Amino acid sequence: MWKRSLAVMTAGLLGIAMTVPGFSQAPAPLTPIAQTNGPAPTARPAVAPNLTKADADAWLDGFMPYAIARGDVAGAVVVIVKDGQVVTQRGFGYADVAKRKPVDPATTLFRPGSTSKLYTWTAVMQLVEAGKLNLDADVNQYLDFKIPPYQGKPITLRNIMTHTAGFEEIIKGLLAFDKPVPSLGAVLKHRVPERIYAPGTTPAYSNYATALAGYIVERASGMPFDDYVEKNIFGRLGMQYASFRQPLPDRLKPFMSQGYELGSGPAKGYELIGMAPAGASAISGGDMARFMIAHLANGGPLLKPETAKLMHTAQPSAIPAINTMALGFYEQRINGHRAIAHGGDTVYFHSDLWIFPEDNVGLYVSMNSDGKDGVTRVLRGSLFDEFADRYLPDPNRAAPKELPTAKEHAKLLVGSWTNSRRIESSFAKIINLLGDTKVTLDADGRPVIPALTSPGGAPRKLIEVAPFVWQDAYGHERLAAQMVDGKVVRWSFGEVSPFMIWYRTPASLDSAWLIPALLFGVGMVFLTALSWPVGWFARRRYAAPLKLEGEARRTYRVLRGFAWLVLAVLVLWGVVITGLENFESHGSTDWLILLVEFVGTLAFFGMFGLSVWNAWLTWRDKRSWFARIWSVLLVLGTFFILWVALAFNLVSFGTEF
């Protein structure tokens, strides 16, 4: 769902994986961590052992306790199912550190974040099966408000379930603590995100779209979303330790795990998700096992076999060389086996679910802490890899062989790239400038992707194994690019490719030149502002008069006054942007946002206009060459600041983001 840092929010962020809520995973760039923070490596057996309780427990005991202790994670639950039965369900660490209350895998509730979306998608498919919903119809026919078309095209439930509805990312209102949660309809009607891609063309993870699907479930069924899920999913499976309700029902509160930033730190509050169908559930490991078993049994009591098969079937992909979306689930291929999966993150809980339909096996993990350096994301990825390597190995796996075109093709990836899961219409678009992805080459001419690192934080060694398809030399990750007219136009990697891609950043928005230009502009404005008190002190110290009169003197003073104003505005924008991760403040800082937008608009335009006027006066009056050159450089610097403000919506009037 969400990540706490701005860097993670940009990916993403935006994710959630944002996850900003989505809180998924929207997988964001990995935070490099020390190698010792990851789980202890496990030896791979020469022959794959049978997946039995005894072997799985021994394997988990060698993996989880060390991993969560080293990563400062309070507690975790792991569940493994096979052939319709629970192989093992294990609790590790504490549900409440202060009370020394251990995790009970059968009853302790964790927040699975965006993994909750799987219940929403299952509910949609139940109503499709019942003939109440059509995957390919305009969703407006199910709503009591209107989603505007994009380029004349409406969105469908199939677009929503494959994250190709084309919505921009939004942050505000996704999560709060100890505040009433508005009704689902009220949340969705309050703000419809802008459509930034044609439907069906571009995977861009969207919590809003998922919440919209939940609202459609409400309207098509005639039942509140929470009631529908309790009756038709939790009830059918006998899931007694599961709920979407916020706050939790009193009967479940004693079973809820605390959430932590660090396991060694204090417990945090219960996270309230504004767009509940996108990530609000709380569930025990034992009940998640029931859900996995039902889907592995071709829908079990939830769906007819043909409906489950449709839901699990891969859909057309923007980059088909790697993983793709099913309907709600997304693919994760490993060792020649196909898993359908979903990850999820709230601020404090981090989870992942994988089921292997052809192998009739499922794995679920959830942790109740962010952990040291965001270790939980690394930990769960390693758990999945180690599980597959141990129990679902590829007997023919060999070292990848590099194509002779590798260096030539890698060069086509170099440059700045923007994540499709992005903010476009609000001032928070500035996150794109701070967080676009720079692809470079290593010493051997192979691509280096900042978002694609090993568990220890080192860049992965990517080997081109097919035209524009790269394989991690020592792991399972794959990267693929799409070519159009001899140019790479988009790329993604396996972990996130079903729901996010990267496209070439337009030259006008490329941070490679914009950030240096912005820093140059800020430097010029800072020195101009500083020249006022420094010049005054020097003239006073040496009794030297200011050799300017009339209009030139007034411009000198006003220009420097505006320089100080611009600096103050930039500082305030820094406060606003870095505060976006503080979900509790959303709404309470609207006055600050409006103030900085209003004052900033005056400051940016005023400073640029005054700089131009000052340059004209300087050259007209034939002042020193230093003064003339400085005046031109100041015009250039203030232009860069104004350009960034306009391009990234800092010149705007609104508090939504």
Side-chain angles (χ1 to χ4, degrees):
M1 246 147 86
W2 304 272
K3 300 294 182 183
R4 294 180 64 80
S5 71
L6 184 62
V8 173
M9 189 161 55
T10 66
L13 230 172
L14 96 199
I16 138 52
M18 235 227 321
T19 210
V20 235
F23 305 30
S24 166
Q25 333 346 341
L30 288 177
T31 303
I33 63 171
Q35 184 69 46
T36 54
N37 282 357
T42 57
R44 258 172 224 143
V47 178
N50 291 326
L51 179 51
T52 63
K53 176 174 174 55
D55 192 85
D57 284 346
W59 171 67
L60 287 171
D61 284 338
F63 186 102
M64 290 299 296
Y66 172 81
I68 65 172
R70 205 62 187 121
D72 202 0
V73 174
V77 62
V78 180
V79 179
I80 301 173
V81 301
K82 181 183 180 183
D83 297 332
Q85 301 293 324
V86 175
V87 174
T88 191
Q89 54 187 41
R90 300 289 304 281
F92 299 92
Y94 295 106
D96 189 319
V97 175
K99 295 180 180 179
R100 291 296 186 266
K101 181 180 179 181
V103 173
D104 182 335
T107 62
T108 300
L109 275 66
F110 281 62
R111 305 295 298 280
S114 283
T115 308
S116 308
K117 288 180 169 67
L118 295 177
Y119 308 129
T120 302
W121 305 136
T122 301
V124 168
M125 295 306 293
Q126 287 177 340
L127 293 171
V128 169
E129 183 178 279
K132 295 184 177 182
L133 295 176
N134 183 331
L135 289 173
D136 299 305
D138 182 348
V139 296
N140 283 314
Q141 73 181 58
Y142 306 121
L143 298 172
D144 56 352
F145 67 104
K146 187 175 178 62
I147 304 295
Y150 183 89
Q151 297 177 353
K153 298 178 181 179
I155 62 170
T156 66
L157 280 167
R158 191 183 300 274
N159 297 147
I160 289 174
M161 295 182 75
T162 55
H163 288 292
T164 58
F167 289 113
E168 69 169 328
E169 179 64 281
I170 58 174
I171 302 173
K172 188 176 181 180
L174 292 177
L175 181 148
F177 297 89
D178 302 319
K179 293 180 180 179
V181 178
S183 71
L184 180 56
V187 170
L188 294 170
K189 295 171 189 176
H190 174 71
R191 180 187 176 198
V192 178
E194 283 200 9
R195 308 274 299 286
I196 56 178
Y197 308 110
T201 64
T202 305
Y205 194 90
S206 175
N207 294 302
Y208 181 91
T210 308
L212 192 67
Y215 189 56
I216 289 171
V217 168
E218 274 195 5
R219 292 185 53 76
S221 67
M223 300 172 63
F225 177 79
D226 292 347
D227 292 350
Y228 182 91
V229 172
E230 283 185 359
K231 178 180 178 181
N232 294 288
I233 296 179
F234 300 158
R236 291 189 195 183
L237 298 180
M239 297 167 66
Q240 299 182 33
Y241 298 94
S243 180
F244 260 100
R245 298 188 184 277
Q246 301 180 105
L248 274 177
D250 289 341
R251 71 173 184 86
L252 291 178
K253 287 180 180 179
F255 303 101
M256 185 64 222
S257 170
Q258 299 285 0
Y260 299 87
E261 186 171 343
L262 296 173
S264 58
K268 304 295 185 178
Y270 191 81
E271 300 149 290
L272 302 176
I273 315 305
M275 297 179 186
S281 75
I283 187 170
S284 72
D287 275 357
M288 189 64 86
R290 297 171 186 264
F291 184 74
M292 289 193 290
I293 289 169
H295 270 281
L296 287 168
N298 294 317
L302 299 177
L303 299 167
K304 293 180 180 177
E306 58 269 26
T307 308
K309 182 178 179 180
L310 173 62
M311 186 177 182
H312 299 167
T313 298
Q315 300 295 299
S317 171
I319 308 178
I322 44 179
N323 299 321
T324 187
M325 287 294 303
L327 289 175
F329 286 96
Y330 54 75
E331 286 185 331
Q332 298 283 275
R333 294 182 179 271
I334 187 168
N335 294 340
H337 298 261
R338 177 181 182 259
I340 53 176
H342 212 296
D345 302 86
T346 67
V347 176
Y348 306 118
F349 289 84
H350 306 277
S351 311
D352 242 314
L353 176 150
W354 305 269
I355 62 174
F356 295 82
E358 289 78 21
D359 301 286
N360 209 7
V361 168
L363 171 67
Y364 171 71
V365 60
S366 188
M367 291 162 280
N368 62 6
S369 316
D370 197 35
K372 189 187 302 179
D373 297 321
V375 71
T376 45
R377 186 177 182 279
V378 178
L379 194 160
R380 68 194 187 193
S382 296
L383 181 75
F384 172 64
D385 287 350
E386 294 291 343
F387 176 85
D389 286 342
R390 184 173 184 84
Y391 297 112
L392 301 169
D394 179 0
N396 301 314
R397 184 180 177 189
K401 295 182 179 180
E402 194 161 42
L403 298 185
T405 56
K407 289 186 178 181
E408 175 188 349
H409 289 173
K411 290 178 182 177
L412 298 178
L413 284 173
V414 173
S416 299
W417 299 84
T418 298
N419 194 314
S420 60
R421 186 186 183 187
R422 62 186 175 88
I423 297 169
E424 177 63 27
S425 64
S426 73
F427 63 86
K429 183 181 179 182
I430 194 70
I431 293 172
N432 301 338
L433 175 66
L434 304 174
D436 66 354
T437 297
K438 299 290 186 297
V439 177
T440 57
L441 301 178
D442 65 14
D444 297 316
R446 298 188 179 98
V448 176
I449 313 292
L452 192 54
T453 59
S454 71
R460 292 184 185 265
K461 182 179 179 180
L462 297 173
I463 306 296
E464 188 182 31
V465 295
F468 297 100
V469 178
W470 288 264
Q471 169 73 48
D472 179 12
Y474 307 113
H476 299 286
E477 191 58 85
R478 289 165 70 87
L479 178 143
Q482 182 182 23
M483 294 288 292
V484 175
D485 298 330
K487 297 180 180 180
V488 174
V489 296
R490 52 172 63 182
W491 58 264
S492 192
F493 55 92
E495 183 183 8
V496 302
S497 58
F499 48 82
M500 291 195 306
I501 57 97
W502 279 258
Y503 64 89
R504 183 79 67 177
T505 303
S508 60
L509 303 178
D510 191 343
S511 66
W513 73 270
L514 266 185
I515 288 182
L518 178 61
L519 292 175
F520 166 77
V522 172
M524 290 300 300
V525 170
F526 174 74
L527 291 174
T528 299
L530 195 62
S531 70
W532 199 0
V534 170
W536 175 86
F537 180 81
R539 290 191 300 274
R540 183 179 179 86
R541 174 70 175 81
Y542 297 106
L546 178 61
K547 296 179 181 180
L548 295 173
E549 300 294 339
E551 186 66 26
R553 180 185 286 263
R554 287 193 295 272
T555 301
Y556 172 90
R557 290 172 173 169
V558 175
L559 177 68
R560 280 150 182 81
F562 264 78
W564 282 107
L565 184 61
V566 167
L567 293 176
V569 166
L570 292 174
V571 169
L572 287 175
W573 270 124
V575 171
V576 169
I577 298 301
T578 56
L580 294 183
E581 68 181 58
N582 181 7
F583 292 97
E584 187 71 3
S585 71
H586 291 180
S588 63
T589 57
D590 285 358
W591 65 271
L592 177 60
I593 294 171
L594 288 172
L595 174 65
V596 74
E597 285 174 338
F598 177 74
V599 176
T601 299
L602 295 177
F604 296 142
F605 278 105
M607 187 67 194
F608 176 67
L610 284 165
S611 298
V612 172
W613 177 246
N614 175 71
W616 186 84
L617 291 176
T618 301
W619 285 79
R620 184 199 66 179
D621 296 342
K622 298 181 180 180
R623 298 178 202 166
S624 69
W625 279 108
F626 177 82
R628 293 189 219 183
I629 293 172
W630 184 271
S631 71
V632 173
L633 292 177
L634 184 60
V635 170
L636 189 61
T638 56
F639 171 77
F640 289 145
I641 293 175
L642 181 60
W643 174 259
V644 169
L646 291 170
F648 294 95
N649 299 326
L650 300 186
V651 174
S652 59
F653 297 97
T655 60
E656 302 296 338
F657 53 90

